[in-house]
Each structure stands twice: as structure tokens, then as C-alpha cells.
Amino acid sequence: MAQELRGNTGNYMRLSGTSMAAGVASGVAAVVLQANYRLTPNGLKAVLQYTSIPIFKADGVRFDALAQGTGQIQVEGAVTLAIQEATGGAQIPVYKD
């Protein structure tokens, strides 16, 4: 009964936190770098932050980036921006020299 109250049903378990997010974030980072291998670490960070979807508190106020991060990761947008960077469509200085 306690597991169902946490959102766990059937063969699935609901988990949250930075330990759960680390695998997703690193996977997205790998996909973005596959789309544009010339991104620097700071460039990759900028792409992920710029394309994230903001997360808001129940009262409608946006979470502080240092408390919650810049938002929900958005894979398609991050890959699209990385490709645009690679083809010269975006002008963010995020390349290795």
C-alpha cells in the first residue's frame, strides 16, 4: 500500500532526485555531443541550459537555478541548437579553438 501511495504500480517504480537525473543528463549530453562534437564543456552546458523548459513552484514563481537547476531537460531542442551551431546557424561562442 505504501508503494502505491508513492506512485509505484505494477512492475514500475517511481524514483526522483539527482541520482536518477544524472543518467538522463549524461545521456542527453552524449547525444548533443554526437550532433556537434566541437562543443566545449561550457558550450555543452550553455546549450543544455538555454534549451531547458523552466520549472515553476505551485505559486507560479520560477525556481532559482541554483536550487532546482535551469529547468527540465529538452533533448530535441538541445540537439537542434547543437546542429545549428555546427552549421553556422547559431552564433553562440561555444567551440574549441
Side-chain angles (χ1 to χ4, degrees):
M1 181 64 146
Q3 292 297 322
E4 285 80 12
L5 292 175
R6 293 184 187 135
N8 302 329
T9 58
N11 293 326
Y12 299 96
M13 179 179 274
R14 181 184 167 127
L15 300 170
S16 65
T18 56
S19 296
M20 302 302 111
V24 174
S26 61
V28 172
V31 172
V32 170
L33 289 173
Q34 185 175 15
N36 183 349
Y37 66 91
R38 294 181 61 204
L39 289 172
T40 63
N42 283 337
L44 174 62
K45 178 181 176 181
V47 166
L48 293 175
Q49 289 178 333
Y50 184 78
T51 59
S52 67
I53 300 168
I55 298 175
F56 297 91
K57 299 177 187 178
D59 61 3
V61 176
R62 186 174 178 171
F63 275 104
D64 177 58
L66 297 176
Q68 180 68 29
T70 56
Q72 180 180 340
I73 201 162
Q74 211 269 344
V75 183
E76 184 179 3
V79 170
T80 300
L81 183 56
I83 291 170
Q84 288 177 347
E85 279 286 332
T87 60
Q91 300 300 317
I92 301 172
V94 294
Y95 290 117
K96 297 177 183 172
D97 292 336

